[in-house]
Amino acid sequence: MSLREVTVGTQAGLDTADMVLNIGPQHPSTHGVLRLRLRLDGERVVECEPIVGYMHRGAEKLFEVRDYRQIIVLANRHDWLSAFSNELGVVLAVERLMDLSVPERAVWLRTALAELNRVLNHLMFLGSYPLEIGAITPMFYAFRERETLQAVMEEVSGGRMHFMFNRVGGLKEEVPYGWTGRARDAIDAVRRRMPDLDHLIRRNEIFLARTVGVGVLSAEDAAAFGASGPVARASGLDLDLRRDEPYLAYGELDVPVVTRTTGDCHARFEVLLDQVYASLDLAQACLDRVDRITGPVNVRLPKVVKAPEGHTYAWTENPLGINGYYLVSRGEKTPWRLKLRTASYANVQALSTLLPGCLVPDLIAILGSMFFVVGDIDK
């Protein structure tokens, strides 16, 4: 292709041309290892093409050469802020294919830990999102609460980020003596201190100016791109698998679904913030139930676990949206195929509709409000 010199300007008599700008993959303003190919008309975005794959680990192929115990350690890493929930989806799919019933105590503990993991995920974004648009202080408040909950998660599992506490048939082991009481104390402390973060940022004039009416995603576009979780619910899509297709113990809980209708950056932030309060209440209700249940937390399985020949699909309401797990087995100790449908991948695709028409200064505010983890996109 021959090169052509183009004069870019706005004065009369000069040709003008759109500028093509690459944000990422290694750019100081990018949100993780993601590349956006933007076409700009001055300061306005005309076209956006998300380009993914820079962190691709080939996890789905690795699943095929790992047994059903080993794939858990691979699965909990693609969304490193939602490790417990990632493990959970895999073991639910395997248990469904094996027609395996899990002890009641394990079901309620799983539900409690899934909600604590949801709060940990949301607190990270509640601190980092304001930071990306210039507010430093919220990060300290968010991490104070994260550390409080991380302590009880680390005590129960031994891990800070990649918990590895789920097993096919239940949980790794019984929780430590008195742990449910310490977990409730941590929940109470976080609930009591959350208004510090809430009042600091929710109605902050500068934060409102940067987020209200910016990056509006309509309900129709959210549905068309398969967006889910807080991003979709902020646009008015009233969908939550915990209520609509219950798994674990959610069918016995009153699950509040937090929604907004404006679909802008501020609505997405508010959904995340209000979901923290809801998840703390759910986790406490689960822990109260755990204290009334006795019995094992796992099922005794043979040394080599083999799922029968067949296929199944399990999906969960992960912190960032709907994750799907399509498992195909040929009766061996390894899956023949395990396909992941991750929330971040679908949510990021909506950027191609969301960014055109916005201004470059609003780019980072919009990008950060989509609440994605790049590993969850690239798997």
Side-chain angles (χ1 to χ4, degrees), residues 88-327:
L88 184 62
V90 171
V91 297
L92 288 176
V94 179
E95 288 163 3
R96 180 173 295 180
L97 195 57
M98 296 176 65
D99 195 22
L100 187 65
S101 296
V102 176
E104 184 184 13
R105 184 171 170 85
V107 170
W108 283 94
L109 276 169
R110 278 179 173 180
T111 311
L113 291 166
E115 289 306 309
L116 290 175
N117 189 201
R118 191 182 311 277
V119 175
L120 286 173
N121 173 289
H122 290 358
L123 283 170
M124 173 62 80
F125 287 107
L126 291 174
S128 64
Y129 179 51
L131 181 67
E132 289 167 359
I133 53 180
I136 297 174
T137 310
M139 195 71 166
F140 298 110
Y141 285 97
F143 264 73
R144 179 185 66 180
E145 312 316 329
R146 268 181 61 85
E147 287 302 312
T148 301
L149 295 177
Q150 283 280 186
V152 295
M153 293 293 282
E154 186 175 2
E155 180 189 359
V156 76
S157 67
R160 271 187 70 81
M161 285 187 67
H162 306 303
F163 304 109
M164 272 302 292
F165 199 56
N166 279 289
R167 294 292 187 273
V168 176
L171 296 171
K172 173 187 172 186
E173 59 196 5
E174 181 56 85
V175 298
Y177 179 77
W179 177 83
T180 55
R182 291 188 291 277
R184 269 195 296 270
D185 290 343
I187 290 170
D188 289 340
V190 172
R191 187 189 289 112
R192 186 175 63 253
R193 297 187 308 228
M194 271 302 294
D196 293 343
L197 176 62
D198 194 328
H199 298 156
L200 181 68
I201 196 70
R202 190 195 294 257
R203 293 290 170 237
N204 181 279
E205 291 183 7
I206 300 173
F207 187 72
L208 290 171
R210 292 295 306 275
T211 56
V212 172
V214 175
V216 176
L217 178 67
S218 68
E220 293 76 17
D221 286 338
F225 281 97
S228 58
V231 169
R233 289 195 287 272
S235 296
L237 286 185
D238 189 6
L239 172 65
D240 192 314
L241 295 182
R242 297 172 298 169
R243 179 200 62 194
D244 301 331
E245 292 208 16
Y247 57 99
L248 295 181
Y250 289 118
E252 299 183 48
L253 293 167
D254 181 16
V255 180
V257 179
V258 181
T259 60
R260 293 292 185 276
T261 56
T262 52
D264 57 9
C265 294
H266 194 263
R268 290 188 280 274
F269 181 84
E270 276 198 317
V271 167
L272 221 61
L273 186 55
D274 290 337
Q275 180 63 57
V276 167
Y277 295 109
S279 290
L280 289 172
D281 291 343
L282 288 172
Q284 181 153 345
C286 292
L287 292 171
D288 291 342
R289 183 66 177 268
V290 166
D291 283 343
R292 300 196 299 270
I293 300 171
T294 57
V297 295
N298 49 42
V299 175
R300 192 173 186 85
L301 295 174
K303 187 174 181 180
V304 178
V305 176
K306 293 184 179 181
E309 187 172 349
H311 62 95
T312 191
Y313 183 78
W315 57 352
T316 59
E317 187 68 42
N318 268 39
L320 297 182
I322 294 174
N323 273 24
Y325 305 82
Y326 179 56
L327 173 63

Side-chain angles (χ1 to χ4, degrees), residues 36 38 45-50 215-227 268 346-358 366 370:
L36 297 177
L38 304 177
V45 178
V46 176
E47 183 182 350
C48 169
E49 179 188 0
V216 176
L217 178 67
S218 68
E220 293 76 17
D221 286 338
F225 281 97
R268 290 188 280 274
N347 290 351
V348 160
Q349 304 312 307
L351 289 171
S352 59
T353 291
L354 193 58
L355 288 179
C358 82
I366 297 170
M370 295 304 285

